[in-house]
Amino acid sequence: MNELPTPKQRLPALLALALPVFAGLIYLTLAGAPAPYVIINAAAFLIAALWIGFGRAPGSYRGRRILVTALLALCFVPLFTGPFVNSPFVDGPSVDSIARWIPVGGFTLHAGSMLFPAIAVLAARDRDFAPPILLTALLAAMAQPDAAFGFAIVFAAVGLHDQSRDWRDGMVAIVGFFAALIMAVQGELPPQPFVERVFADTVAVSPIGGIALLLALAGGLMAMLHVAPFEARARYALAGSLFGFGIMSIMSHYPSVLIGYGAAPILGYGLALGLAQHGPAQRTDT
């Protein structure tokens, strides 16, 4: 039976999320973003923080494999809901025949950034099935298509390979890299204010502000990589996913995760950090 982490032990994981999210809330406020954007990001952080503080992960391999299967299935939901719904917050969950969002009430949540962080942690905890888990996520990313999601998978696989030296993780990273390049050509959309191009727009107004945002995101990544209280495979996979999302938000028109407006990545990394704090599952029912 896995021993639950104490509140003090959970603080580094909370810090890893709080650093970029709080910087993002300051950015949204100072940049004149609509008040609901600030409120929604703050509410998403509160939910994520409660999960990090009190959440529990399945304690068995079977439970975690059921969970990761459900998360992978949700990655494909935008392909079926996109043509039929709309939202006041983005130009619909289907834009130029590209569908990356899951409709929840009056909101649309970006599937990749909400679901993949937890998938990366669960894959890291399952050495036997990590490559097929990541390849299934890659298939969902290609179907959307979403290069940021794709590069998050690539760098999560790189993180796993760095720790395991398993050739299968390396092959996932190589295949994913070329797939993500194709997605980058096919899937670029017009930027949404306060969601995409956050770093570029901030630097244009205040270089110091842009650097501060970048450092806050980097600080969260480094906290995941070196400070968070869980094993190296999960830390490297989770930090790799954040690096993939982050680098694409700088290079192209993709959401600035944890910094710009968007509840999905805040909830996603909160879920992942909560899951990761629990030790490897007990092999009692495989």
Side-chain angles (χ1 to χ4, degrees), residues 28 37 52 65 80 87 91 111 113 116 153 163 199 210 212 221 226 228 230 275 279:
L28 290 172
Y37 287 18
I52 292 172
R65 285 173 178 170
F80 302 97
S87 165
D91 189 17
S113 61
F116 184 68
I153 297 167
Q163 291 301 302
F199 294 107
L221 188 151
H226 295 295
F230 37 90
L275 291 173

Side-chain angles (χ1 to χ4, degrees), residues 144-262:
Q144 292 179 13
D146 187 339
F149 188 179
F151 276 108
I153 297 167
V154 169
F155 287 105
V158 169
L160 292 180
H161 182 264
D162 180 80
Q163 291 301 302
S164 67
R165 302 300 177 185
D166 188 331
W167 67 269
R168 299 176 303 160
D169 296 330
M171 287 302 299
V172 172
I174 293 170
V175 171
F177 176 76
F178 288 105
L181 289 179
I182 295 172
M183 288 183 255
V185 174
Q186 295 179 340
E188 186 172 83
L189 296 173
Q192 299 291 322
F194 306 109
V195 178
E196 289 96 8
R197 291 185 54 82
V198 166
F199 294 107
D201 291 346
T202 304
V203 167
V205 176
S206 170
I208 294 177
I211 293 171
L213 286 178
L214 187 60
L215 289 176
L217 185 62
L221 188 151
M222 296 305 291
M224 291 180 192
L225 190 60
H226 295 295
V227 181
F230 37 90
E231 78 280 7
R233 273 179 63 88
R235 285 189 281 110
Y236 275 65
L238 189 59
S241 72
L242 182 57
F243 181 83
F245 283 123
I247 199 69
M248 285 306 294
S249 72
I250 295 172
M251 295 175 61
S252 189
H253 299 168
Y254 287 93
S256 301
V257 292
L258 305 181
I259 297 290
Y261 167 61

Side-chain angles (χ1 to χ4, degrees), residues 6 69 82 85 88 165 179 185:
T6 65
T69 299
V85 292
R165 302 300 177 185
V185 174

Side-chain angles (χ1 to χ4, degrees), residues 3-24:
E3 184 177 349
L4 294 177
T6 65
K8 184 177 180 180
Q9 291 171 330
R10 294 173 188 258
L11 285 177
L14 184 60
L15 173 66
L17 185 64
L19 187 59
V21 172
F22 283 2

